[in-house]
Amino acid sequence: MATRFEIVLHGNNPVSLRAAGEEALDEIERLEAQLSLYQPGSEIAGLNRAAHERPVRVTPALLELLRRARALSDETHGAFDITVAPLVRCWGFMNGTGTLPDPSALEEARAKVGMCHIELDADNLTVRFKRPGVMLDLGAIGKGYAIDRAAGLLREAGMSSALLHGGTSTAYAIGRPPGGARWKIAITPPGNDATAQPLSVVELENESLSVSAVWGRSFRADEKTYGHIIDPRTGVPAENALLSAVVWPGATESDALSTALLTAPELLAEFVAHRPGIRCLVVGGTAAEPQVSVHGIEGAERF
Ligand code: AMP
Ligand code: MG
C-alpha cells in the first residue's frame, strides 16, 4: 500500500485513545506486510512467486479476502480485478510513473489477467494459479480492507468517535465528531488544484468514502493522459471517467467499487439498483468540461 494512514480519535481518556490508535496503526502495518505485492516477504508476493507451480497455503483471512475480491470482480463484470498486475507492470506503473507499452508485451500481459486463472480452495486454505505469469495486486482493495480491520479494533477498544483514512483516498468514520454533526469530507474536482472549490462535501457516519482518480498516478503521451487504473477487459488505462467516489458501510467494498466505477462508469446504475443505500458519483468529460453522474452525493450535480 505504501500509503500514509491517519486516525483522529475523540474521547476523554488520552491514554486509552493513544493505546487504541497505536493498536489500529500496528494492525494496518501488519496488513501491509501481508498484502503488499512489493514486499518480498508478504503472503501476496509468496503467491506471485509460487502459486503457478503448486497450491500455496494462505491464512484464513487472506483466503476470505480473495473470495470477496472474486465476488466483487463478478459483480463489476471484471472492471475490478486483482489479477490486473501484469497490465499494471506492462504500462510501467509497477515501479514507475507509466510508459506506453509495446503492443506484443501488452497482448502477452492481457492473456495473464482474469480471475478465471485463480483457484481458491477454501477447504485446504490454498491458492493456485492455473498458468505462469499470473500476478495479484491488491492495490485497489487493500487500503479499504486495512481500514475496516483498524476500525474494528477501534470499536472493540470502545472508541465511538473516530475518522481514519489511507492516502486520503479511502476514509472511514466511526460515529460523529463532538458537536453533533457528521464527519465531513471534501471531494476535490478532477485536476491537481488543491485550492479548487470542492466537488462535494460528503457527510459520513459509520460508513466509508473511497475516491479513485486518473491523475493519482498518470503520464501523458500523444496528447492523452494515461492513469494507473487499468480496464482489465481492454488492457488500456481507464478512459471513460476522471474521478469516481463511492460511499458504503464498509471500506473494503467502497475501495473496490470506486476503482470499478472509474473503469466502467456505466456500473453506477447497477450499483444503485443492487446496493440500496449506496451513494456514488462519476466525473466524465474533461477537466475543463466535467460531466457528473451522481446518486445521493449532495452538491456534485451543480458541476
Ligand atoms: P484505487 O486507487 O483504489 O482505485 O486503486 C488503484 C490501484 O489498483 C492501481 O494503482 C493498481 O495497483 C490497481 N489496479 C489498477 N487497475 C485495477 C483494476 N481495474 N482492478 C483492480 N485493481 C486495479
Ligand atoms: Mg480502490
Side-chain angles (χ1 to χ4, degrees):
M1 290 173 264
T3 300
R4 182 184 174 84
F5 286 81
E6 289 180 306
I7 302 180
V8 178
L9 289 166
H10 284 292
N12 297 325
N13 183 338
V15 176
S16 58
L17 292 181
R18 174 166 288 277
E22 280 175 2
E23 194 194 3
L25 288 172
D26 285 350
E27 174 70 355
I28 289 170
E29 215 166 285
R30 190 188 69 74
L31 289 169
E32 168 142 34
Q34 180 189 18
L35 301 178
S36 169
L37 98 135
Y38 300 101
Q39 293 199 20
S42 76
E43 274 200 281
I44 292 297
L47 287 177
N48 288 344
R49 265 194 309 273
H52 71 282
E53 289 165 352
R54 57 185 162 79
V56 175
R57 234 181 129 77
V58 294
T59 52
L62 179 58
L63 195 92
E64 181 51 31
L65 177 59
L66 296 177
R67 285 169 59 137
R68 288 175 78 184
R70 162 163 284 164
L72 286 158
S73 198
D74 290 345
E75 175 181 347
T76 60
H77 315 296
F80 166 82
D81 189 332
I82 57 170
T83 69
V84 75
L87 287 169
V88 174
R89 180 161 68 186
C90 193
W91 281 90
F93 288 115
M94 205 147 261
N95 285 306
T97 48
T99 47
L100 285 177
D102 170 72
S104 63
L106 186 58
E107 275 322 293
E108 239 176 76
R110 284 187 70 186
K112 296 168 185 161
V113 172
M115 286 304 287
C116 57
H117 303 308
I118 310 292
E119 206 171 75
L120 303 176
D121 182 339
D123 296 330
N124 296 307
L125 285 180
T126 59
V127 177
R128 189 175 77 87
F129 298 166
K130 294 184 193 163
R131 55 158 298 162
V134 173
M135 202 187 340
L136 301 181
D137 173 357
L138 270 57
I141 189 171
K143 271 196 297 238
Y145 179 67
I147 284 177
D148 273 343
R149 294 282 291 258
L153 288 178
L154 292 175
R155 284 187 200 282
E156 274 173 35
M159 299 294 127
S160 55
S161 173
L163 186 71
L164 308 72
H165 80 83
T168 73
S169 65
T170 289
Y172 181 82
I174 296 180
R176 295 183 175 208
R182 290 182 287 175
W183 295 95
K184 290 188 174 65
I185 315 251
I187 302 180
T188 42
N192 280 319
D193 182 3
T195 60
Q197 186 66 358
L199 195 57
S200 172
V201 177
V202 177
E203 298 198 357
L204 299 180
E205 179 178 7
N206 299 322
E207 55 198 344
S208 168
L209 164 70
S210 292
V211 177
S212 293
V214 166
W215 70 93
R217 223 163 348 121
S218 62
F219 69 97
R220 278 190 71 79
D222 312 333
E223 316 258 301
K224 268 179 87 173
T225 302
Y226 296 93
H228 63 125
I229 296 171
I230 299 175
D231 188 336
R233 302 162 304 177
T234 60
V236 175
E239 51 191 351
N240 297 324
L242 301 167
L243 178 143
S244 61
V246 171
V247 178
W248 184 252
T252 308
E253 301 211 326
S254 68
D255 194 357
L257 295 177
S258 78
T259 306
L261 204 50
L262 193 89
T263 308
E266 68 279 6
L267 285 171
L268 189 139
E270 283 189 37
F271 290 170
V272 170
H274 298 127
R275 288 182 172 263
I278 198 169
R279 292 187 271 156
C280 40
L281 86 83
V282 188
V283 182
T286 61
E289 274 183 60
Q291 288 161 5
V292 179
S293 310
V294 60
H295 177 83
I297 290 184
E298 314 73 22
E301 58 285 296
R302 283 198 317 268
F303 272 79

